[in-house]
């Protein structure tokens, strides 16, 4: 196996690099609060903030750093126009469902704007039009249908053929007065506001156990306990399997490249198309003369495909369509969860839940989804001002479960193929000695499958090749130097540390006879 060629740009999220934020302490003692929120991304922090406004005592427990998971790697569009969603919703769920979806998402856009203004948050908040466009005539009909459905749902959309892009399109849906911002700056300020209201935030406090009851109790991997009247699970992928939400969610990873562009060449607005391998385009303030062009695309299931080649395709497309852009400065990847019936799961954790709640499955639209979840879950927990669209997002929705049947079956067939096929798969690398520096592979060591990574200095790390969630075989993502599970999207560092759930336990580490081991501690990814 040959060593990888360098990829363009710095391997880091622009949002993470430009808003590091202060560290919060881990939980070191047992505590009791009104509500425990598990997860410190936009859904968790929005929920905690809204609850604090009602006078509830709140504790947020984050496995890593605040807003450093999915939220720290988003493209941060705040819009009620979600690619092609309203026509499918109208056809599969009915016109009223589409209207509720539109009203709730636009309410989230406006509520985020009010929160930014109310707290005077400096987070590069900008109003901008959002476009869903057809790259060619083959998809022009779908754009026309989406424009009609979105208008019928109550959004003031326009069907247009001209946009601010430097290349022609076959048609587009335009929704004015949407927004974009720096997600880390926004959420770190929200966290400060939460603490000023008495909320408590704990980083590096991974929750591994949930006991439902009155009170409920969550336990961290260090054995610390939080007793709470209510618990909100906002960990992107729910980390507790009792509700089987993982069976209704499909993980999707998308790549991002970002390059500087002169302000007078920057397209006005936010753009997305399902064509050309899916492409999402926006810009962000960079300095007085330039903006940062941010392009997302090349969707793939974690643990599959060739992310290195995909990054190169995305980079080539970006500079082909935006020739005035400078060299790629940043590259990163985002992970989304697509619900089987299109609509996020926000509400009671499972049919028997009385004091536990979940927010997940935002399908790539977590900025509005997270803000919506904060408002909706607060209403459900406090029992006041429950919005008319609560039933739409209820995870217990029976009608949608019936509609999900075909999608659910397809997802589980794919998982079953990984579970069965992986066990029969013959490794493409025969031995650890064949693994080149900077690469990784699953190989047999002493008759057992091991996930082995060789660092640039020649040292190796070997970990179990089976995901600790349900046992699927992990695969190496060479572009991000991580191990990924294709079944439900769990991701691990080269040292086996959990980077993303639903897995909560690390991959077990092993020595490789005759190979120099890497230093203990630390991980890549």
């Amino acid at each position: 196996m040959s060593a990888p060629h360098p990829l363009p740009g710095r391997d880091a999220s622009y949002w993470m690099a430009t808003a590091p934020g202060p560290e919060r302490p881990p939980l070191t003692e047992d505590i009791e609060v009104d509500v425990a929120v598990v997860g410190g991304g936009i859904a968790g922090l929005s929920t905690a903030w809204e609850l604090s406004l009602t006078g509830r005592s709140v504790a947020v427990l984050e496995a890593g750093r605040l807003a450093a998971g999915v939220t720290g790697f988003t493209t941060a569009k705040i819009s009620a126009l979600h690619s092609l969603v309203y026509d499918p919703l109208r056809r599969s769920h009915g016109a009223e469902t589409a209207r509720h979806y539109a009203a709730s998402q636009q309410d989230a856009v406006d509520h985020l704007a009010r929160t930014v203004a109310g707290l005077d948050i400096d987070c590069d908040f900008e109003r901008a039009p959002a476009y869903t466009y057809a790259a060619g005539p083959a998809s022009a009909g779908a754009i026309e249908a989406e424009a009609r459905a979105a208008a019928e749902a109550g959004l003031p959309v326009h069907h247009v053929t001209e946009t601010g892009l430097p290349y022609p399109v076959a048609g587009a849906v335009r929704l004015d007065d949407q927004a974009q911002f720096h997600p880390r700056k926004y959420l770190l300020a929200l966290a400060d506001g939460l603490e000023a209201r008495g909320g408590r935030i704990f980083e590096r406090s991974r929750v591994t156990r949930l006991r439902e009851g009155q009170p409920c109790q969550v336990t961290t991997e260090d054995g610390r306990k939080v007793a709470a009247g209510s618990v909100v699970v906002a960990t992107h992928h729910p980390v507790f399997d009792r509700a089987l939400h993982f069976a209704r969610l499909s993980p999707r990873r998308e790549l991002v490249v970002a390059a500087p562009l002169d302000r007078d060449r920057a397209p006005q607005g936010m753009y997305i198309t399902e064509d050309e391998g899916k492409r999402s385009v926006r810009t962000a303030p960079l300095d007085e003369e330039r903006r940062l062009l941010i392009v997302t695309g090349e969707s793939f299931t974690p643990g599959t495909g060739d992310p290195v080649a995909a990054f190169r395709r995305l980079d080539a497309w970006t500079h082909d369509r935006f020739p005035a852009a400078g060299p790629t400065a940043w590259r990163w990847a985002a992970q989304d969860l697509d619900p089987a019936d299109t609509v996020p799961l926000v509400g009671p954790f499972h049919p028997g839940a009385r004091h536990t709640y979940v927010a997940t499955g935002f399908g790539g639209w977590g900025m509005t989804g997270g803000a919506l979840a904060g408002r909706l879950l607060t209403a459900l927990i406090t029992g006041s001002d429950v919005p008319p669209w609560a039933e739409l997002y209820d995870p217990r929705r029976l009608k949608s479960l019936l509609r999900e049947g075909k999608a659910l079956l397809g997802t589980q067939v794919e998982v079953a193929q990984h579970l069965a096929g992986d066990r029969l798969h013959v490794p493409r690398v025969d031995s650890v000695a064949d693994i080149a520096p900077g690469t990784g592979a699953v190989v047999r060591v002493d008759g057992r499958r091991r996930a082995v990574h060789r660092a640039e200095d020649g040292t190796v790390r070997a970990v179990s090749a089976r995901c600790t969630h349900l046992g699927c075989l992990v695969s190496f993502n060479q572009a991000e130097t991580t191990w990924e599970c294709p079944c439900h999207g769990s991701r691990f560092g080269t040292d086996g540390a959990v980077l993303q759930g639903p897995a909560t336990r690390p991959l077990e580490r092993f020595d490789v006879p005759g190979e120099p081991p890497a230093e203990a501690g630390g991980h890549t990814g």
Side-chain angles (χ1 to χ4, degrees):
M1 178 184 291
S2 60
H5 295 292
L7 286 169
R10 177 182 171 186
D11 181 16
S13 160
Y14 173 76
W15 316 123
M16 295 292 296
T18 54
E23 290 205 25
R24 265 86 177 182
L27 180 67
T28 57
E29 61 181 0
D30 296 349
I31 63 172
E32 184 173 351
V33 291
D34 293 330
V35 185
V37 177
V38 185
I42 189 166
L45 285 173
S46 295
T47 302
W49 168 252
E50 299 295 336
L51 284 165
S52 75
L53 296 179
T54 71
R56 266 66 175 180
S57 60
V58 185
V60 177
L61 297 103
E62 165 57 42
R65 301 291 310 281
L66 284 184
V70 175
T71 303
F73 294 81
T74 177
T75 48
K77 294 178 177 179
I78 306 170
S79 176
L81 192 65
H82 295 175
S83 188
L84 301 175
V85 68
Y86 290 103
D87 185 50
L89 270 180
R90 179 180 62 175
R91 287 187 281 107
S92 62
H93 292 67
E96 183 180 14
T97 293
R99 285 193 294 270
H100 279 319
Y101 188 89
S104 61
Q105 296 294 328
Q106 186 57 50
D107 177 78
V109 174
D110 297 335
H111 185 66
L112 276 166
R114 289 192 299 269
T115 304
V116 170
L119 292 176
D120 193 23
I121 300 175
D122 180 10
C123 60
D124 301 331
F125 185 89
E126 300 174 322
R127 286 289 192 174
Y131 295 81
T132 298
Y133 72 91
S139 54
I143 291 297
E144 293 176 5
E146 183 69 7
R148 289 193 298 269
E152 186 179 301
L155 295 177
V157 297
H158 304 275
H159 181 254
V160 299
T161 55
E162 298 292 329
T163 71
L165 293 169
Y167 51 88
V169 303
V173 186
R174 188 186 80 215
L175 179 60
D176 293 327
D177 208 27
Q178 303 302 284
Q180 55 189 18
F181 67 169
H182 191 305
R184 284 272 295 174
K185 289 180 179 179
Y186 170 77
L187 285 176
L188 292 175
L190 199 66
D192 290 341
L194 173 63
E195 289 178 322
R197 297 189 62 85
R200 305 181 68 180
I201 298 174
F202 302 98
E203 294 185 324
R204 307 191 192 283
S205 300
R206 184 181 298 279
V207 173
T208 58
R209 188 179 307 168
L210 166 63
R211 189 194 72 194
E212 298 185 67
Q214 194 53 259
C216 300
Q217 184 183 88
V218 296
T219 305
T220 69
E221 61 185 350
D222 293 332
R224 302 303 180 183
K225 296 176 173 59
V226 179
S230 299
V231 172
V232 173
V233 180
T235 54
H236 186 57
H237 211 311
V239 293
F240 305 108
D241 289 343
R242 68 194 63 179
L244 301 181
H245 290 315
F246 66 84
R248 304 168 67 181
L249 301 167
S250 299
R252 167 171 51 90
R253 202 148 181 81
E254 287 189 334
L255 306 182
V256 186
V257 295
L261 185 64
D262 288 346
R263 281 182 174 267
D264 60 357
R265 299 292 190 94
Q268 299 298 308
M270 304 172 289
Y271 302 85
I272 191 167
T273 180
E274 295 293 331
D275 302 333
E276 302 182 300
K278 193 170 186 177
R279 295 290 185 261
S280 170
V281 176
R282 65 157 286 197
T283 65
L286 191 58
D287 54 39
E288 291 185 358
E289 298 179 350
R290 301 177 302 167
R291 291 181 69 86
L292 188 68
L293 175 68
I294 302 169
V295 179
T296 305
E298 297 295 330
S299 300
F300 62 97
T301 299
T304 68
D306 185 349
V308 170
F311 259 123
R312 293 195 174 115
R313 285 194 299 271
L314 187 63
D315 186 66
W317 184 93
T318 299
H319 288 90
D320 176 66
R321 294 305 180 99
F322 297 90
T328 292
W330 307 85
R331 71 175 190 277
W332 67 91
Q335 188 149 315
D336 297 308
L337 291 174
D338 295 319
D341 71 342
T342 305
V343 180
L345 311 176
V346 182
F349 196 21
H350 55 78
R354 296 294 178 268
H355 307 286
T356 53
Y357 303 84
V358 69
T360 187
F362 297 121
W365 300 98
M367 299 302 97
T368 52
L372 177 155
R375 302 252 282 165
L376 176 53
L377 293 176
T378 296
L380 293 174
I381 290 170
T382 61
S384 61
D385 299 322
V386 177
W389 53 77
E391 185 177 351
L392 168 63
Y393 295 98
D394 194 327
R396 304 167 300 179
R397 51 190 185 254
L398 295 178
K399 290 182 180 178
S400 285
L401 282 172
L402 295 175
R403 293 190 189 101
E404 289 175 27
K406 186 175 181 180
L408 279 171
L409 179 61
T411 299
Q412 295 317 304
V413 166
E414 184 176 348
V415 170
Q417 288 173 340
H418 283 299
L419 282 167
D422 288 344
R423 285 169 168 76
L424 302 174
H425 177 67
V426 178
R428 286 176 290 178
V429 176
D430 294 328
S431 70
V432 173
D434 295 328
I435 300 174
T439 66
V442 174
V443 297
R444 289 194 180 277
V445 178
D446 293 335
R448 295 186 178 275
R449 294 189 191 278
R450 300 286 183 252
V452 181
H453 170 255
R454 187 182 298 278
E456 294 291 350
D457 63 3
T459 59
V460 300
R461 278 198 176 105
V463 295
S464 169
R466 294 293 171 192
C467 176
T468 55
H469 178 225
L470 290 181
C472 290
L473 191 72
V474 298
S475 181
F476 189 63
N477 179 335
Q478 191 161 290
E480 299 180 77
T481 322
T482 54
W483 296 105
E484 298 179 347
C485 175
C487 290
H488 302 108
S490 295
R491 301 177 63 246
F492 305 86
T494 55
D495 64 348
V498 177
L499 302 179
Q500 243 167 336
T504 59
R505 291 178 292 112
L507 301 175
E508 186 178 356
R509 302 180 192 180
F510 297 93
D511 292 329
V512 178
E515 290 285 349
E519 292 183 8
H523 67 268
T524 313

